[in-house]
Amino acid sequence: MSAPMTLPDAAQPVHTERAASLFPDDTAVEPLARGRDFEYGTCSNEFEFVRSLPSGLVYLRERPAPNELGRIYPPHYEPYRFESFPAFIRMARDFVQRGKVNVVRQLAGEKADLLDVGCGSGAMLRLLRRYGKPGWVLHANEMHEPSLLRLDQEGFVTHPGPIEQVPGQARFDVILLNQVIEHFADIDALLQACRRLLKPGGYLLVETPSTSGLDFKWFRARHWGGYHFPRHFYLFNGDNLSRLLSSHGLQVSRVSYLASPAFWTQSLHHRVSESRWPKLARWFHLTNVPLTMAVTAFDLLRAACGGRTSNIRVVARRGC
């Protein structure tokens, strides 16, 4: 079995910029974690996550500068090439992702415009087309031009470039931020754009890593998979994410905790890769079916018992 993640090579460091909390009343920060690009080895930097107080927001203190994004998102970045994964991996992912389609079906009417922000290869859009409602018009937004070109050829409405540059207002019934918000340096501008583009009464569906899970507590000093060094800039929990959305005129209607097998397997991979037996790290990944099934079942059971996991879904609505 070959691992989908590679250890860093002798890559050069990227230039960085200093980040700050999203909450103006935060008065202090505490060091939380240090780590490197465990998955792609795009740079040699050691990065630091801090926790801002009292909000509890976790963020990358020194993050890659905007001109370095092409470095930290290499052509073989997994969200760009999901359609090339083995069939059984795609089938398992699609089974999980169909749960999101069911949520969207509850939010959108028979005729609706839906926008997937940072859609990657378009896996979610294809599921929305297959299992959604016939009257839906599906829109794709992505910075990766090859992905958008393929989606355009498949008949999706495409919007290249930053979401802030998508023209118009009150255009969409539902906007999806599916494992995307944590990648944005300017989240305030992102949410302002989403509110502008949502129709009155329209919904924003956010799914993002949560710092409330047990795997975060166990691996938070360095190896937690949800850090995704250095591509995740801001990490939330249910309380501070709800507060942030509310501050942008988006009323939170639902908070759910979901299974996160990827973070468990990545956390174990990163820990073992820096142990006495680094070669064993190749067994800790999503294609290890028994491991993935075990950690998925654990998270599902924990969520069913009212526990919080490391994957959160928040549904918010724009008022009039």
Side-chain angles (χ1 to χ4, degrees):
M1 301 175 70
S2 59
M5 295 174 282
T6 58
L7 295 177
D9 55 19
Q12 296 298 310
V14 294
H15 296 96
T16 62
E17 63 180 15
R18 177 60 64 99
S21 174
L22 301 172
F23 299 100
D25 58 340
D26 277 341
T27 58
V29 296
E30 60 180 9
L32 191 64
R34 295 189 64 86
R36 55 183 171 83
D37 187 349
F38 291 100
E39 297 166 30
Y40 297 96
T42 59
C43 56
S44 59
N45 307 60
E46 278 268 328
F47 296 91
E48 182 183 34
F49 271 98
V50 296
R51 177 156 43 203
S52 191
L53 302 172
S55 72
L57 177 71
V58 174
Y59 64 92
L60 203 61
R61 184 191 289 262
E62 295 285 343
R63 64 193 179 207
N67 64 342
E68 299 284 15
L69 295 182
R71 281 270 307 277
I72 66 172
Y73 292 98
H76 59 289
Y77 185 55
E78 285 190 1
Y80 296 158
R81 59 185 185 90
F82 177 70
E83 302 309 314
S84 67
F85 283 12
F88 76 96
I89 295 295
R90 286 186 280 114
M91 290 175 60
R93 179 183 169 92
D94 286 352
F95 177 79
V96 174
Q97 298 292 317
R98 282 186 62 181
K100 299 176 189 178
V101 178
N102 293 335
V103 173
V104 176
R105 287 181 63 92
Q106 297 170 16
L107 304 177
E110 295 298 325
K111 293 185 180 296
D113 283 89
L114 280 62
L115 173 65
D116 190 358
V117 178
C119 62
S121 67
M124 187 67 205
L125 286 166
R126 295 183 182 93
L127 287 177
L128 289 168
R129 171 179 281 177
R130 183 174 180 182
Y131 298 109
K133 300 177 182 179
W136 288 356
V137 179
L138 302 176
H139 299 251
N141 167 252
E142 175 57 56
M143 297 286 289
H144 187 242
E145 293 183 5
S147 294
L148 271 192
L149 178 60
R150 289 193 296 270
L151 292 170
D152 181 69
Q153 293 170 346
E154 293 178 31
F156 295 99
V157 183
T158 57
H159 304 274
I163 181 62
E164 297 88 345
Q165 296 179 10
V166 175
Q169 60 185 17
R171 297 184 58 181
F172 300 105
D173 299 274
V174 179
I175 295 178
L176 288 80
L177 299 178
N178 184 25
Q179 302 295 334
V180 163
I181 191 172
E182 63 275 9
H183 292 264
F184 275 75
D186 193 344
I187 292 182
D188 286 326
L190 166 66
L191 294 179
Q192 288 167 11
C194 289
R195 190 182 188 284
R196 169 176 59 84
L197 291 167
L198 276 174
K199 296 177 182 178
Y203 289 93
L204 179 68
L205 192 156
V206 183
E207 187 172 310
T208 188
S210 168
T211 56
S212 300
L214 191 61
D215 47 320
F216 170 77
K217 293 179 174 64
W218 286 0
F219 297 100
R220 68 181 180 184
R222 182 170 178 83
H223 297 113
W224 183 50
Y227 288 137
H228 198 36
F229 293 105
R231 285 160 289 273
H232 285 178
F233 294 168
Y234 289 99
L235 298 168
F236 302 89
N237 58 40
D239 296 332
N240 54 39
L241 180 55
S242 296
R243 176 187 169 192
L244 182 65
L245 294 173
S246 297
S247 72
H248 284 273
L250 298 164
Q251 182 179 1
V252 174
S253 60
R254 189 185 315 175
V255 178
S256 307
Y257 288 89
L258 315 171
S260 184
F263 292 161
W264 278 105
T265 56
Q266 289 168 350
S267 300
L268 292 165
H269 172 277
H270 303 343
R271 173 70 63 82
V272 174
S273 72
E274 294 190 328
S275 72
R276 295 182 181 181
W277 306 280
K279 292 184 178 179
L280 294 179
R282 66 192 184 96
W283 295 100
F284 294 92
H285 52 83
L286 287 174
T287 57
N288 184 332
V289 176
L291 174 64
T292 298
M293 291 178 62
V295 295
T296 300
F298 178 82
D299 264 1
L300 291 174
L301 179 62
R302 182 174 173 80
C305 295
R308 296 186 173 190
T309 66
S310 290
N311 194 18
I312 192 171
R313 176 187 298 150
V314 178
V315 177
R317 189 177 190 183
R318 177 187 167 176
C320 297

